[in-house]
Amino acid sequence: MRRRQHIRVPVPPAASAPVAATEPLIPNPALPPGALSDPADLEREAGVARLFELHYSSMLRLAVLLGADDPENVVAEAYYQIYRKWRRLRDSEAAEAYLRSTVCNLTRMRIRHLQVVRKHVETPPDELVASAESTALLHDDQRVLIVALQQLPARQREALVLRHWLGLKESEIAAAMGISCGSVKTHTARGLAALTQAMEARR
């Protein structure tokens, strides 16, 4: 039976937002001993490590802004998936886009799952405690905005975060969300209008 190995990749220090001190593990799916002598495997190891170094903090922040209650696990799963599918990707830009799309999809699925679970839990949503990652990544003056943002429908929230926080183009947002550019415009406009109304109501 093949043993499941793990590749430990160091967490880069974030200048503006602290992350957990523990080092997430990117699982190596059942590689036999000595497999990393294969140039293709060595290239994948180096590529994923580089992607981790460049984008881990921004992917973690993306998951937080999209409303994930466990952003570190979401991002770790996204890196695991990209590790498995590395050879199918065309280049580093395609890898970044796939990673971003995966974080969006995983967060959306996670939120849906939590919504189902919370229907059977007596604790009201207002009493749920925010994750440590969310607290660490958000400043006091941002929390009101984030609370309002997380009240939006998932697609509107994603469109606004990808457009105004990450500064992506419409085509990049469409690829990340798996929708057309026209739908991106619709979700962005509706989300911005709803967010503006919510913020004005809180003043």
Side-chain angles (χ1 to χ4, degrees):
M1 178 180 294
R2 294 179 176 177
R3 298 181 58 186
R4 189 182 181 94
Q5 299 177 340
H6 291 78
I7 306 302
R8 185 176 293 274
V9 184
V11 177
S16 60
V19 297
T22 55
E23 298 175 353
L25 297 177
I26 299 178
N28 183 340
L31 288 178
L36 293 184
S37 60
D38 185 331
D41 287 323
L42 291 172
E43 180 182 0
R44 175 170 64 173
E45 297 294 323
V48 174
R50 179 64 174 165
L51 196 68
F52 188 95
E53 179 183 356
L54 290 174
H55 301 296
Y56 177 81
S57 294
S58 64
M59 291 300 114
L60 183 63
R61 186 171 286 105
L62 173 60
V64 169
L65 290 172
L66 291 180
D69 69 320
D70 54 352
E72 286 196 326
N73 287 335
V74 167
V75 176
E77 175 63 21
Y79 273 99
Y80 172 65
Q81 290 193 22
I82 203 171
Y83 182 91
R84 293 178 58 196
K85 299 180 180 180
W86 183 259
R87 295 182 185 180
R88 303 179 192 176
L89 301 172
R90 298 184 303 276
D91 51 38
S92 58
E93 290 185 5
E96 180 185 354
Y98 177 86
L99 181 64
R100 186 165 53 233
S101 177
T102 303
V103 170
C104 289
N105 291 335
L106 290 173
T107 301
R108 191 182 311 125
M109 289 188 293
R110 177 64 179 166
I111 290 173
R112 288 174 183 170
H113 171 73
L114 289 176
Q115 288 173 343
V116 173
V117 170
R118 286 169 182 169
K119 290 180 180 179
H120 305 284
V121 177
E122 295 181 358
T123 304
D126 290 342
E127 295 181 13
L128 294 173
V129 179
S131 69
E133 293 82 6
S134 301
T135 302
L137 289 173
L138 302 177
H139 299 293
D140 290 337
D141 58 354
Q142 295 176 315
R143 287 180 184 144
V144 173
L145 176 61
I146 299 305
V147 169
L149 181 67
Q150 293 181 350
Q151 302 304 311
L152 298 178
R155 290 297 193 178
Q156 294 179 16
R157 180 171 59 246
E158 289 174 21
L160 288 179
V161 169
L162 294 171
R163 177 68 183 90
H164 295 286
W165 270 266
L166 296 189
L168 300 184
K169 300 176 182 178
E170 285 183 359
S171 58
E172 295 173 321
I173 298 172
M177 295 178 63
I179 58 177
S180 67
C181 288
S183 295
V184 170
K185 292 179 181 179
T186 299
H187 289 308
T188 301
R190 291 178 179 175
L192 188 58
L195 185 62
T196 300
Q197 183 178 5
M199 292 297 295
E200 288 178 350
R202 290 174 177 272
R203 292 178 181 175

